[in-house]
Amino acid sequence: MKQQFSLLPKIAALSIAAAFAAPAMAQTAGSNIVNLGWFHLAPQDSSEGIRGVGGLVNGSNSPDAHSTVSNADTVGVAFTHFFTDNIALTADLGLPPKFKLTGTGTLSRFGEIGSAKQWSPAIVAKYFFGDATDKFRPFVGAGVTYVWYSDVKLNQSFQQYAGGGAVNPALTTGNASASLSSSLAPVASLGATYNVSDRWSIGFSVSYIPLKTDADITGQGTAAGTLKYKTSLTINPIVSFLSVGYKF
């Protein structure tokens, strides 16, 4: 009997050692992983000139009136479900980042001309290389995002220009508003996950979104009447996502 009791600590120690030696099944079929982290959006942008499409500016064209879009950062959440050990689907969400629009060309004198918040939830199918027991797992992905904008605002100096100053520099009491079109856009992604344990992981990805939006600007409030303009912005952001993941 004493010999049996003396074997128990050895058996327990061997069991613990075996548990640590066993490969961690980090990402297997049926796994659900939530990631919380930081999105950085870097637009590869360009813009068309401004065209007059209504009122006294109808038919006018300002080909050198351009703008550029700033980088932006925000908190992001991603939910991933593994259908097999290698194939998964991820839903990406984030607090809408605020982009600032700065005038260039003939609009450079206005500096920052406006801002907007961008909403762009995405669904991305991913293929993870390697085995479910691997600590380091690179992946490639492709999907789609639906993009729309809120809190679109124009700075006062540009409002005065669009509200009447474009017709007569003396008309400085006007105001203007703008809207940006929404659209579906494809997403191409690559990245990697490093599994710290069976539950916890660190993830990094880089995605590219070919994205274009149309801007409609309406100025009013002066003797010039209602003035309407159009332009297009090509944004094409490169989006990086650094995050911590938890499997449940």
Side-chain angles (χ1 to χ4, degrees):
M1 181 67 70
K2 290 183 179 179
Q3 184 178 8
Q4 291 177 344
F5 277 110
S6 67
L7 288 174
L8 288 177
K10 296 179 181 179
I11 294 172
L14 288 172
S15 298
I16 294 171
F20 278 101
M25 303 301 286
Q27 297 152 344
T28 57
S31 295
N32 294 304
I33 300 171
V34 62
N35 285 73
L36 176 66
W38 166 67
F39 277 116
H40 177 70
L41 297 89
Q44 312 300 300
D45 63 302
S46 63
S47 68
E48 296 180 358
I50 294 179
R51 308 181 307 278
V53 295
L56 294 178
V57 295
N58 188 45
S60 66
N61 189 18
S62 301
D64 296 323
H66 297 290
S67 59
T68 186
V69 182
S70 68
N71 293 350
D73 298 277
T74 192
V75 175
V77 177
F79 177 81
T80 301
H81 176 76
F82 277 79
F83 293 94
T84 72
D85 289 356
N86 299 95
I87 298 174
L89 189 67
T90 297
D92 289 319
L93 302 169
L95 296 176
K98 183 179 181 180
F99 288 98
K100 296 179 180 179
L101 200 65
T102 301
T104 60
T106 58
L107 298 183
S108 60
R109 67 183 186 275
F110 298 112
E112 183 183 322
I113 62 176
S115 62
K117 291 182 178 180
Q118 177 180 295
W119 302 76
S120 52
I123 297 292
V124 180
K126 296 177 178 177
Y127 182 84
F128 284 77
F129 297 94
D131 298 323
T133 57
D134 293 344
K135 282 188 172 293
F136 181 75
R137 299 196 70 187
F139 66 82
V140 294
V144 65
T145 178
Y146 182 71
V147 182
W148 74 95
Y149 301 89
S150 65
D151 297 325
V152 181
K153 298 177 181 178
L154 298 176
N155 287 3
Q156 187 61 39
S157 59
F158 185 73
Q159 285 196 47
Q160 292 173 348
Y161 170 79
V167 176
N168 184 340
L171 300 176
T172 60
T173 60
N175 56 72
S177 60
S179 63
L180 300 173
S181 64
S182 56
S183 62
L184 281 171
V187 179
S189 181
L190 58 86
T193 294
Y194 182 79
N195 297 300
V196 180
S197 68
D198 179 42
R199 295 287 181 183
W200 293 96
S201 61
I202 298 172
F204 180 74
S205 66
V206 177
S207 302
Y208 177 71
I209 305 173
L211 177 63
K212 185 175 183 179
T213 184
D214 296 322
D216 291 301
I217 303 168
T218 301
Q220 55 192 359
T222 68
T226 299
L227 309 174
K228 292 182 178 293
Y229 312 83
K230 278 186 176 292
T231 188
S232 293
L233 303 172
T234 298
I235 303 174
N236 293 352
I238 294 175
V239 183
S240 56
F241 184 44
L242 178 63
S243 64
V244 174
Y246 180 78
K247 186 182 80 171
F248 60 94

